[in-house]
Amino acid sequence: MNAVEQGSPARRPLALITGVGRTVGIGAGIARRLAASGWDIAFTYWAPYDDRMSWGREPGATEVISQALVDQGASTLAIEADLADPAASARVFDEVEQRMGGVTALVMCHCESVDSGLLDTTVESFDRHFAVNARATWLLIREFGRRFAAERGTGRIISLTSDHTVGNLPYGASKGALDRITLAAAHELAHLGVTANVINPGPVDTGWMPEEVREYCIRSSPLGRLGTPQDTAHLVDFLCSRKGEWINGQLLTSNGGLT
């Protein structure tokens, strides 16, 4: 687990954001938005995942993202962590607490996503999807709940999900499990005053969309465009604010009205 730390000692509430590996990703957009709203940011990334995907690794992304957060006045810590490892979640929280202090908001943008359907998904791929998308979500929430010590009513848990299962079986099925795990936290962590919500951001092109998918999603959208990382980031920013406290235990579809 490698770490890059920049900025001044933590003075602001601290958000831990997983899956912040590329500058164009939703996780990076959320990190920038929360930093601008007064949060310090710890984030995880896992470059070997990008190496396996069509877009590939983005050299220097961690440093660019970290500097953007520092420019917003945030202290920041970047941790490379393979969340398929059952021990990674506790190690991440240990490092964040040692370097920056206690976490107030947990925002989970990490994922394993490899296209395959009912007939061609391998057992290995299925198990990895559930290890990353479902099991790691549970373990991260468990660590958050065990360690949360901030003021009652300030704690936030937010997960990103998807309902895309046809032709994307292990991803969609494991994201469905993520939904249930996250929403359970709204009730099981009620004694801490922590809210827990899931966001389905709809189609956001962060470099993975073939042109035919882009065109179809744009045609299907009443607004005539795709979602952006900023669209999701604004919703996360609201949910993490005091004004967002009453929204709890919800699966929020934020897709511009996509049919």
Side-chain angles (χ1 to χ4, degrees):
M1 189 179 298
N2 299 318
V4 177
E5 187 175 9
Q6 298 185 41
S8 57
R11 301 178 304 274
R12 315 186 314 173
L14 175 60
L16 170 59
I17 308 173
T18 62
V20 186
R22 299 187 301 135
T23 57
V24 297
I26 295 176
I30 292 170
R32 290 190 292 265
R33 180 63 258 164
L34 289 181
S37 292
W39 290 78
D40 285 335
I41 307 294
F43 65 89
T44 73
Y45 66 100
W46 183 237
Y49 171 70
D50 294 318
D51 291 340
R52 291 191 285 113
M53 305 308 288
S54 60
W55 52 78
R57 184 184 303 217
E58 182 182 351
T62 300
E63 291 74 18
V64 171
I65 294 167
S66 295
Q67 187 58 54
L69 304 181
V70 171
D71 291 345
Q72 296 283 5
S75 294
T76 182
L77 173 67
I79 303 172
E80 184 165 24
D82 180 6
L83 293 176
D85 178 358
S89 297
R91 288 202 303 267
V92 167
F93 268 88
D94 285 344
E95 187 159 358
V96 171
E97 288 182 343
Q98 290 165 9
R99 301 279 193 99
M100 301 186 75
V103 174
T104 300
L106 171 63
V107 183
M108 289 170 285
C109 308
H110 66 274
C111 78
E112 172 80 6
S113 178
V114 178
D115 289 344
S116 62
L118 288 164
L119 301 182
D120 60 341
T121 295
T122 67
V123 171
E124 179 186 15
S125 177
F126 189 88
D127 287 349
R128 173 167 281 276
H129 278 80
F130 270 83
V132 174
N133 297 341
R135 186 178 68 195
T137 298
W138 159 52
L139 292 172
L140 287 161
I141 290 174
R142 186 174 73 171
E143 291 300 322
F144 180 82
R146 286 175 170 175
R147 301 170 188 240
F148 181 77
E151 179 186 351
R152 180 179 177 83
T154 62
R156 301 288 186 267
I157 297 171
I158 299 169
S159 298
L160 298 190
T161 193
S162 173
D163 55 10
H164 186 207
T165 306
V166 176
N168 208 0
L169 169 71
Y171 176 70
S174 57
K175 283 289 190 174
L178 171 150
D179 298 351
R180 301 296 96 190
I181 292 166
T182 304
L183 297 180
H187 299 272
E188 294 198 20
L189 301 183
H191 63 289
L192 300 174
V194 169
T195 67
N197 293 287
V198 181
I199 296 173
N200 183 342
V204 178
D205 186 8
T206 58
W208 60 270
M209 279 189 183
E211 188 58 33
E212 62 272 18
V213 174
R214 285 178 53 86
E215 293 176 359
Y216 171 78
C217 291
I218 291 171
R219 288 197 311 269
S220 301
S221 170
L223 297 178
R225 69 171 178 87
L226 298 170
T228 68
Q230 291 72 33
D231 293 323
T232 306
H234 286 304
L235 179 54
V236 171
D237 188 27
F238 174 73
L239 292 175
C240 285
S241 73
R242 282 289 195 177
K243 294 179 180 179
E245 181 181 8
W246 189 238
I247 300 175
N248 189 25
Q250 302 301 309
L251 199 168
L252 304 168
T253 300
S254 176
N255 65 7
L258 182 74
T259 55

